[in-house]
Amino acid sequence: MAPPATDAATTKQEQQHAAGGEGVEVGGDLRLVAECGTVVRLSRSAARMSTTLFDMIEAGCAEGGIPIKGADVGTLRLVAAYCEKHAPHYDPVASAARLRDPFPPFPIEFTPASYAVKPVTQLDPDPHGLEAWDRKFISDLPDNSALFNLIIVANLMAIEDLVDLGCTAVADKMRGKTPDEIRVALDIENDYTPEQEAEVRRENAWAFED
Amino acid sequence: MEAGYFKMSAGAVTVLPDDPLVEILSRVPAKSVCRFKCVSKAWCDLIADPDNRKKLRQPMQGLFVQTSEVSDSEVDNGCISFSYSFTDLTVRSVPLDIDTCFSFLTEMTGIAAFMLHSCNGLILFRQHQESSEGYIVCNPTTRQWSAVPACGSCEGIIHTYLAFDPAVSSHFHLVQFQMPDVHFPMPCMHEDVVLLHVYSSETGTWSQNQIDEQKEQGQLEGWHHQFTLDAVYQCAFVNSFLHLIVWGSDGKHILAVDVQGKARRMITMLRMADESQRHSITCYLGQSQGHLHCVTIDSADKNNDKLSTWVLQDYDTQEWVLKSTVNSLDVFGETRVTPEYQVVDIHQDCNVLFFLQQLTCELIAYNMDRKEVSVIATFKDYKFRGDFACYVPYFSESPALTNKH
């Protein structure tokens, strides 16, 4: 069983004294505590990606265990893996100003190497391989539930890039589906009466043509 | 019950809270969002909720119509007055709550404005008044508007376009092309000159002339020397670029310009070498479902035009895919004289074309999927000029629009 969360009220000096390779290291990894009590470690640079954790670090209250309410250990480990992978290339300003296009993204910056008729050669749009990693990260998730949990925890920890990745992944799955397919995928109960549903369909008839 | 309710296979339950669900839906196209109103009552309420509407993409609701009349009266001889109406495209249980006559604009001391262009929920007007020349950008859904001063000299032919994409930024841009009028050459404008100015609502100012200021790259350098803007002055806003038809020595192309006024792409129109396209002219350029579309007319058969709708499915390979063809006879029926018509618009979210039949003053919708024709409006005014702007609701109160009715 994981050690209980360290009392955050201990002073830094006491912590350093008691460290000896165990317990909390000042300036070291953060310790996130899942709902079951298991600790997941996260480096400080990776923790920057979470606005919540970043604020806590700045306020000096990120020492000791940080409980992440409602997060299971599997999801927390996935979140940590994402943050560790993206941390070296994380740019908060670019992240905030990022284009958010629901339709397939089009690379905005490129050098047209030849005239219009021939296909245009492009600069490598994914220089650090992050996009490919993200795609595999999402496709490796076992089921929709794991993806939803990921979004919920990322939302809780205010990791905007991961929320965006997760939501876009779900949106891509939902696009073009019929209401029935959505109900089956998300196991949602249809609480319309047949007459009510027919009325809503009638008002939005154009949306059902393919 | 919350809108996103999911049961895991082990029997445990994961509930997707409303906030992430709205985030997800905001990344889904308007057509799908409309369908999802049928999923459950909770989803319908979530989608219709006023706060959520600001984030969700809205489907095209209708077309604003501008009619202009030249006054014959002795007092106002030659004075042009504008009036506006709205053609609703959707079946509605609750009436649409927008000011379809733009009275919130016109009620202010006699602003006579000419509707130019609409983009993602905002509409651009040009002001024609002695005391103040300039532009007005307004959001008919929130009744907000902003005045934009005119840019420099107002000589020659001016085409101004609005660029606005709420997914990218809550600010809008205006891109203004200014060319000498060959019929009225001005001493200060040489023949070939094209001036390009850009306005940003964020800075609140017009930029300097962007042509020759920019280091346009590669083959696009000096595009304005080889190409001139086409008489078909429609503009399609796709992928954050404004697309316009330009004329060159080798025929028509589509120029893609970004919101800074920099030329980014030159897209070929359908291949000139293709025998079937040799007699075609492009009469319309527009945006639908996130892709660039164009409509060509083949008038080889005198009384029966062949109208083809093409879509640029893959922006990178620049291959035009034929979406649908229809004969004008099938759309307008048998008429004693060759019908005069114009393509007004293409529906933003589905495969429907809108035509204006000038003889009968009818607005006709042609559904490409079901191959159905329907008359959706008839206009009584025979002096009808027929300017249309498509209406897509944008519910967010934008900081870019400073005035509110």
Side-chain angles (χ1 to χ4, degrees), chain B residues 55-95:
Chain B
K55 296 183 199 156
L56 300 177
R57 296 224 153 189
Q58 301 296 324
M60 178 177 172
Q61 302 282 334
L63 291 159
F64 283 110
V65 186
Q66 172 177 268
T67 56
S68 55
E69 269 192 66
V70 179
S71 169
D72 294 330
S73 79
E74 286 172 15
V75 178
D76 300 315
N77 198 19
C79 180
I80 303 178
S81 67
F82 302 105
S83 57
Y84 309 97
S85 62
F86 182 73
T87 304
D88 201 335
L89 292 176
T90 60
V91 173
R92 238 176 259 291
S93 50
V94 177

Side-chain angles (χ1 to χ4, degrees), chain A residues 129-147:
Chain A
L130 287 176
E131 277 181 36
W133 189 91
D134 284 349
R135 277 196 295 273
K136 185 164 187 305
F137 181 70
I138 293 290
S139 64
D140 281 351
L141 293 173
D143 52 28
N144 285 343
S145 169
L147 183 52

Side-chain angles (χ1 to χ4, degrees), chain B residues 147-390:
Chain B
V148 175
C151 173
S153 73
C154 298
E155 294 157 349
I157 300 176
I158 295 178
H159 291 310
T160 312
Y161 304 102
L162 172 66
F164 174 64
D165 187 351
V168 172
S169 160
S170 56
H171 283 280
F172 63 84
H173 291 80
L174 298 186
V175 178
Q176 179 184 283
F177 292 86
Q178 195 172 357
M179 292 151 292
D181 187 346
V182 291
H183 302 293
F184 300 99
M186 309 293 283
C188 50
M189 284 189 89
H190 298 293
E191 263 187 32
D192 274 344
V193 167
V194 173
L195 296 175
L196 210 172
H197 296 270
V198 178
Y199 174 88
S200 157
S201 66
E202 208 166 349
T203 60
T205 56
W206 286 96
S207 68
Q208 289 183 320
N209 180 21
Q210 296 298 301
I211 305 256
D212 289 334
E213 301 283 339
Q214 303 270 10
K215 301 288 179 289
E216 284 151 7
Q217 292 164 312
Q219 297 300 321
L220 292 173
E221 193 175 338
W223 66 267
H224 50 283
H225 294 305
Q226 301 156 30
F227 297 96
T228 52
L229 290 194
D230 191 59
V232 176
Y233 51 84
Q234 281 143 355
C235 169
F237 188 61
V238 177
N239 283 334
S240 298
F241 295 161
L242 290 168
H243 294 79
L244 308 152
I245 300 180
V246 293
W247 256 111
S249 52
D250 56 346
K252 290 194 190 182
H253 295 264
I254 297 174
L255 176 71
V257 173
D258 70 12
V259 294
Q260 310 297 324
K262 187 172 168 188
R264 291 304 201 107
R265 280 266 207 184
M266 196 66 81
I267 300 171
T268 42
M269 299 297 285
L270 303 145
R271 269 176 256 152
M272 298 300 142
D274 190 344
E275 189 60 42
S276 64
Q277 296 308 314
R278 206 176 279 277
H279 302 286
S280 293
I281 57 161
T282 306
C283 64
Y284 177 77
L285 187 69
Q287 183 271 128
S288 173
Q289 300 160 80
H291 294 288
L292 196 61
H293 285 68
C294 78
V295 178
T296 60
I297 301 180
D298 185 339
S299 312
D301 184 351
K302 240 205 242 165
N303 293 322
N304 195 8
D305 292 337
K306 187 166 102 161
L307 295 146
S308 306
T309 308
W310 304 78
V311 59
L312 195 68
Q313 202 75 47
D314 188 332
Y315 203 84
D316 291 329
T317 61
Q318 294 187 18
E319 276 191 41
W320 292 93
V321 174
L322 180 63
K323 203 173 227 188
S324 122
T325 52
V326 65
N327 293 322
S328 59
L329 264 181
D330 294 329
V331 178
F332 305 109
E334 292 276 349
T335 50
R336 282 183 290 116
V337 285
T338 317
E340 276 194 25
Y341 60 89
Q342 71 183 82
V343 179
V344 162
D345 210 345
I346 184 168
H347 198 293
Q348 304 281 293
D349 312 294
C350 57
N351 296 324
V352 172
L353 275 180
F354 298 104
F355 297 95
L356 176 69
Q357 228 265 51
Q358 267 136 12
L359 215 59
T360 52
C361 280
E362 285 174 335
L363 187 65
I364 296 170
Y366 172 66
N367 186 319
M368 292 184 243
D369 296 325
R370 294 185 299 180
K371 301 199 189 309
E372 279 179 14
V373 175
S374 50
V375 177
I376 51 177
T378 309
F379 304 103
K380 289 169 281 189
D381 190 347
Y382 286 100
K383 289 176 247 173
F384 185 53
R385 195 204 135 116
D387 291 298
F388 295 86
C390 95

Side-chain angles (χ1 to χ4, degrees), chain A residues 1-6 22-23 31-33 37-39 41 65:
Chain A
M1 207 42 193
T6 311
E22 286 185 353
R31 300 164 78 225
L32 308 177
V33 186
T38 312
V39 171
R41 296 177 80 102

Side-chain angles (χ1 to χ4, degrees), chain A residues 97-120 122 143-145 148-149 151-152 155 163-168 170-172 174-180 182-193 196-197 199-204 206-210, chain B residues 1 3-9 14-17 19-21 23-32 34-44 55 57 59 90-93 165 167-168 217-220 226-227 239-241 250 253 264-268 289-290 315-318 347 349-350 367 369-370:
Chain A
R98 184 188 52 237
L99 301 167
R100 198 173 58 83
D101 192 341
F103 299 105
F106 172 67
I108 301 292
E109 290 295 332
F110 69 94
T111 309
S114 56
Y115 202 53
V117 182
K118 299 173 216 152
V120 171
Q122 301 169 21
D143 52 28
N144 285 343
S145 169
F148 293 169
N149 282 325
I151 294 172
I152 291 168
N155 195 34
V163 172
D164 188 33
L165 179 67
C167 289
T168 307
V170 180
D172 286 344
M174 286 172 75
R175 191 184 303 174
K177 294 278 193 297
T178 64
D180 209 40
I182 297 289
R183 287 189 211 115
V184 167
L186 302 183
D187 202 22
I188 297 173
E189 194 191 314
N190 182 2
D191 54 354
Y192 281 119
T193 66
Q196 288 169 334
E197 187 176 347
E199 174 69 20
V200 180
R201 269 190 94 106
R202 192 182 69 88
E203 280 184 12
N204 298 284
W206 68 275
F208 289 90
E209 293 165 21
D210 253 324
Chain B
M1 185 188 282
Y5 180 84
F6 180 81
K7 198 180 285 181
M8 276 163 57
S9 50
T14 299
V15 177
L16 198 60
D19 280 348
L21 188 54
E23 274 301 311
I24 292 167
L25 288 174
S26 74
R27 290 161 167 79
V28 170
K31 192 170 175 179
S32 293
C34 267
R35 278 190 198 170
F36 297 162
K37 289 184 196 168
C38 290
V39 169
S40 75
K41 288 185 189 171
W43 274 51
C44 194
K55 296 183 199 156
R57 296 224 153 189
T90 60
V91 173
R92 238 176 259 291
S93 50
D165 187 351
V168 172
Q217 292 164 312
Q219 297 300 321
L220 292 173
Q226 301 156 30
F227 297 96
N239 283 334
S240 298
F241 295 161
D250 56 346
H253 295 264
R264 291 304 201 107
R265 280 266 207 184
M266 196 66 81
I267 300 171
T268 42
Q289 300 160 80
Y315 203 84
D316 291 329
T317 61
Q318 294 187 18
H347 198 293
D349 312 294
C350 57
N367 186 319
D369 296 325
R370 294 185 299 180

